[in-house]
Amino acid sequence: MTKSELIESLSEQHKHLSQADVEMAVRAILDRMSLALSEGDRIEIRGFGSFSLHFRPPRMGRNPKTGEPVALPGKHVPHFKPGKALRERVNAAANL
Amino acid sequence: MALTKADLADCLFEEVGLNKREAKEFVDAWFESIRDALEAGENVKLSGFGNFQLRDKNERPGRNPKTGEEIPISARRVVTFKPGQKLRARVEAYAGPRK
């Protein structure tokens, strides 16, 4: 499912909203979540999961072209931990 | 403070002009649609944010960390999240305390 398919599916379910409003709302949610993470805040959605930041310590890397070592600074990366309901539903549906 | 569904509903109320009830329903439906797609075995790609991907794991040996007893970890399907380039770049710029 892509973002446009998500917009389509939500428009189907919310016929009282215009397509433009649904598009704006989908973007607003994604922007708000990105903003929270970029400010170092967690996101907690019960039954879905939580997003947080993980720190990657500084390390020595290499320029892949020249092989020259380069110092890479520490950085944060986004991390998602699926919630219980999502884990259980996805796994139950898989029927492995 | 962690961002919650209530904060996202407030954002739809303020920025999109949905009423409070619509905003709350929309946020619920947003996450439910993503769960539905994943449950149906579909990966979810939200450009600019990231991809939710399904991975099928084989059974593997595990251990009860308390008792040391060996127990197999059953085969399962799990959800992983791969942040998109745009989100990674925004988060990399975060210079606050280490998380």
Coordinates of all heavy atoms in Angstrom, one line a residue, chain A residues 85-95, chain B residues 32-44 54 77 79:
Chain A
A85 N -0.9 -5.5 19.7 CA -2.0 -5.8 18.8 C -1.5 -6.0 17.3 O -2.0 -6.9 16.6 CB -3.1 -4.7 18.9
L86 N -0.6 -5.1 16.9 CA -0.1 -5.2 15.5 C 0.7 -6.5 15.4 O 0.5 -7.2 14.4 CB 0.7 -4.0 15.2 CG 1.4 -4.0 13.8 CD1 0.3 -4.0 12.7 CD2 2.3 -2.7 13.7
R87 N 1.5 -6.8 16.3 CA 2.3 -8.0 16.3 C 1.5 -9.3 16.2 O 1.7 -10.1 15.3 CB 3.2 -8.2 17.5 CG 4.5 -7.4 17.5 CD 5.5 -8.0 18.5 NE 5.0 -8.3 19.8 CZ 4.9 -7.5 20.9 NH1 5.4 -6.3 20.8 NH2 4.5 -8.0 22.0
E88 N 0.4 -9.3 17.0 CA -0.4 -10.5 17.1 C -1.2 -10.6 15.8 O -1.4 -11.7 15.2 CB -1.3 -10.4 18.3 CG -0.5 -10.7 19.6 CD -1.3 -10.6 20.8 OE1 -2.5 -10.2 20.8 OE2 -0.8 -10.9 21.9
R89 N -1.8 -9.5 15.3 CA -2.6 -9.6 14.1 C -1.8 -10.0 12.9 O -2.3 -10.8 12.1 CB -3.3 -8.2 13.9 CG -4.6 -8.1 14.7 CD -5.2 -6.7 14.6 NE -5.5 -6.4 13.2 CZ -6.1 -5.3 12.9 NH1 -6.5 -4.4 13.8 NH2 -6.4 -5.0 11.6
V90 N -0.7 -9.4 12.7 CA 0.2 -9.7 11.6 C 0.6 -11.2 11.6 O 0.6 -11.9 10.6 CB 1.4 -8.7 11.5 CG1 2.5 -9.3 10.7 CG2 0.9 -7.4 11.0
N91 N 1.0 -11.6 12.8 CA 1.5 -13.0 12.9 C 0.4 -14.0 12.7 O 0.5 -15.0 12.1 CB 2.2 -13.2 14.2 CG 3.0 -14.5 14.3 OD1 3.6 -14.9 13.3 ND2 2.9 -15.1 15.4
A92 N -0.8 -13.7 13.3 CA -1.9 -14.6 13.2 C -2.4 -14.8 11.8 O -2.7 -15.9 11.3 CB -3.1 -14.2 14.1
A93 N -2.3 -13.7 11.0 CA -2.8 -13.7 9.6 C -1.8 -14.4 8.8 O -2.2 -15.0 7.7 CB -2.9 -12.3 9.1
A94 N -0.5 -14.5 9.2 CA 0.5 -15.1 8.4 C 0.3 -16.6 8.4 O 0.6 -17.3 7.4 CB 1.9 -14.8 8.9
N95 N -0.2 -17.2 9.5 CA -0.5 -18.6 9.5 C 0.7 -19.5 9.1 O 0.6 -20.4 8.3 CB -1.6 -18.9 8.6 CG -2.8 -19.4 9.3 OD1 -2.7 -19.9 10.4 ND2 -4.0 -19.2 8.7
Chain B
E32 N -5.6 2.2 11.6 CA -6.3 0.9 11.3 C -6.0 0.5 9.8 O -5.9 -0.7 9.5 CB -7.8 1.1 11.6 CG -8.6 -0.2 11.4 CD -8.1 -1.4 12.3 OE1 -7.4 -1.1 13.3 OE2 -8.5 -2.5 12.0
S33 N -6.0 1.5 8.9 CA -5.8 1.1 7.5 C -4.4 0.5 7.3 O -4.2 -0.4 6.5 CB -5.9 2.4 6.6 OG -7.1 2.9 6.7
I34 N -3.4 1.1 8.0 CA -2.1 0.5 7.9 C -2.0 -0.9 8.5 O -1.4 -1.8 7.9 CB -1.1 1.5 8.6 CG1 -1.0 2.8 7.8 CG2 0.3 0.9 8.6 CD1 -0.2 3.9 8.4
R35 N -2.7 -1.0 9.7 CA -2.7 -2.4 10.3 C -3.4 -3.4 9.3 O -2.9 -4.5 9.2 CB -3.5 -2.3 11.6 CG -2.6 -2.1 12.8 CD -3.3 -2.4 14.1 NE -4.5 -1.6 14.2 CZ -4.7 -0.5 15.0 NH1 -3.7 -0.1 15.8 NH2 -5.8 0.2 15.0
D36 N -4.5 -3.0 8.7 CA -5.2 -3.8 7.8 C -4.3 -4.3 6.6 O -4.3 -5.5 6.3 CB -6.4 -3.1 7.2 CG -7.6 -3.1 8.1 OD1 -7.6 -3.9 9.1 OD2 -8.6 -2.3 7.9
A37 N -3.6 -3.3 6.1 CA -2.7 -3.7 4.9 C -1.7 -4.7 5.4 O -1.4 -5.7 4.7 CB -2.1 -2.4 4.4
L38 N -1.1 -4.4 6.5 CA 0.0 -5.3 7.0 C -0.6 -6.7 7.3 O 0.0 -7.7 7.1 CB 0.7 -4.7 8.2 CG 1.5 -3.4 8.0 CD1 1.9 -2.8 9.3 CD2 2.8 -3.8 7.2
E39 N -1.8 -6.7 7.9 CA -2.4 -8.0 8.2 C -2.7 -8.8 7.0 O -2.6 -10.0 6.9 CB -3.7 -7.7 9.0 CG -4.3 -8.9 9.6 CD -5.5 -8.5 10.5 OE1 -6.0 -7.4 10.4 OE2 -6.0 -9.4 11.2
A40 N -3.0 -8.0 5.9 CA -3.3 -8.7 4.6 C -2.0 -9.1 3.9 O -2.0 -9.6 2.8 CB -4.1 -7.8 3.7
G41 N -0.9 -8.9 4.5 CA 0.4 -9.3 4.0 C 1.0 -8.3 3.0 O 1.9 -8.6 2.2
E42 N 0.5 -7.1 3.0 CA 1.1 -6.0 2.1 C 2.1 -5.1 2.9 O 1.8 -4.7 4.0 CB -0.1 -5.1 1.8 CG -0.8 -5.4 0.5 CD -1.8 -4.3 0.2 OE1 -1.4 -3.2 -0.3 OE2 -3.0 -4.4 0.5
N43 N 3.2 -4.8 2.2 CA 4.1 -3.8 2.8 C 3.4 -2.4 2.6 O 2.6 -2.2 1.7 CB 5.4 -3.8 2.1 CG 6.2 -5.1 2.3 OD1 6.0 -5.7 3.4 ND2 7.1 -5.5 1.4
V44 N 3.8 -1.5 3.5 CA 3.2 -0.1 3.4 C 4.3 0.9 3.2 O 5.3 0.9 3.9 CB 2.4 0.2 4.7 CG1 1.9 1.6 4.7 CG2 1.3 -0.8 4.9
L54 N 7.1 -6.4 6.0 CA 6.9 -7.7 6.7 C 8.0 -8.6 6.4 O 8.6 -8.7 5.3 CB 5.6 -8.3 6.1 CG 4.3 -7.5 6.4 CD1 3.2 -8.0 5.5 CD2 3.9 -7.6 7.9
R77 N 5.8 -14.0 11.6 CA 5.9 -12.9 10.7 C 6.0 -11.6 11.5 O 5.2 -11.4 12.5 CB 4.6 -12.8 9.8 CG 4.6 -11.6 8.8 CD 3.5 -11.6 7.8 NE 3.8 -12.6 6.8 CZ 3.0 -12.9 5.8 NH1 1.8 -12.4 5.8 NH2 3.3 -13.8 4.9
V79 N 6.8 -7.2 11.8 CA 6.8 -5.9 11.0 C 8.1 -5.2 11.3 O 8.5 -5.0 12.5 CB 5.6 -5.0 11.5 CG1 5.6 -3.7 10.8 CG2 4.3 -5.7 11.3

